[in-house]
Amino acid sequence: MPEPVLRASIFLGLLVLALPSSLRAEGPQDVFAERTEVRLVELGVRVLRDGEPVRGLDSSDFIVLDRGRSVVISGFEVLERGSATGEVAVAASGHRPHRLLLLFDFAYSSGAGLARAVAASRRIVAPGLERGSEVGVGFFSALRGMRLVAPVSGKLDIVQAGLDCISALLARQPEVAELSLRRAMSGRGEAAAVPYASGDEVRAEATIMVRADPYWPHRSVIRSQARGLRRIAETAEFEAGPVQVIWFSHGFDSSFLTGRGGASSLSELERTFRALRQRAWVVDAINVDGVRIGTGRESLFYLANETGGDAYENFNRPSEALELMLRRRSVTYLLVLDVSQAKPDGRFHRLKVRLRDGLPGARIRHRPGYYAPELELDTPLPRS
């Protein structure tokens, strides 16, 4: 989440090589890199009441529990953004890029719903790509898997070209889709590790556009979704920091996670959740098919909740869901936690955040937790 779309997700991340000076604890402090070396964890916390962000809290208002034991809060910052659409994606303090990934699910969505989602996305990114913010665009297809059609970029013309490609795919315009892809990728070299779409792939996708086929091997499609998202998260292009994914979809029927073959699908999803948590990626899922009753809402909630994000249901227009998401993410309390006492076993630590004095009706949102180091570390990395 940049506030509110990008900022809140970015500050859900692990503190990797260095902290901004405003967050450093007094006295010497060792900071280690990546998941096996981290000793400090950055946790973005949102407090909502009646759906609106609660303002005016400070570090003394929070209690963080790691398996029932209190965690020391060694740094604190309030990240506050206006919730107006025109202020989306603008950096609050500018010391770190904000990254947003817009992903459109062609497998489990209607074309009309996705078209509305593209229009809503244009309203989000157009005024906001300023001061280091970056946005990427991609889609998931049952036939082609997860593909990016625009690299993560702070340039409006590149992001808009990616959205143009999605629009052309929905409109079944192969030539326009390929031309838009070329515009989005112009000047970009080869990046084999990143699953960018090829010209042939977007032409084929625009021609076929198979969606919601009742005869699909659905569990294979679900596993493909999970693997595709994990592959993107694990590529070198995204190593610079956390990402907020906005997943536009109707969701798949959660019954495909049970019965024969369900265990392998769940295992694939769990591997993806682990990869996202390690990188502090957060997924916000928006149901693009309005208020119609469907079977996908459980899967959208599952995907979002396991990464610390939210699922948005029962909106006639995706723009309404996006506006609510922006408003809810307009205030984030950034807590820097000292987790140096965690046993170096590589296990996942679920965190619970509470308000010291309580607040009736308050809802607290944050990413689920962090991974402990796997090895005992003796030598700290130099500060950047």
Side-chain angles (χ1 to χ4, degrees), residues 284-324:
D284 281 316
I286 294 179
N287 191 329
V288 299
D289 285 346
V291 298
R292 54 183 270 189
I293 298 175
T295 58
R297 62 175 57 199
E298 294 90 353
S299 64
L300 294 182
F301 175 81
Y302 180 46
L303 181 62
N305 189 66
E306 287 299 308
T307 62
D310 293 307
Y312 294 84
E313 298 274 357
N314 299 323
F315 290 89
N316 282 317
R317 295 189 297 272
S319 59
E320 295 174 339
L322 282 172
E323 288 168 5
L324 176 60

Side-chain angles (χ1 to χ4, degrees), residues 48-51 359-364:
L48 304 174
R49 192 178 190 188
D50 297 328
L359 185 63
R363 177 170 172 252
I364 300 175

Side-chain angles (χ1 to χ4, degrees), residues 211 223 333:
R211 292 196 301 277
R223 290 194 289 272
Y333 298 99

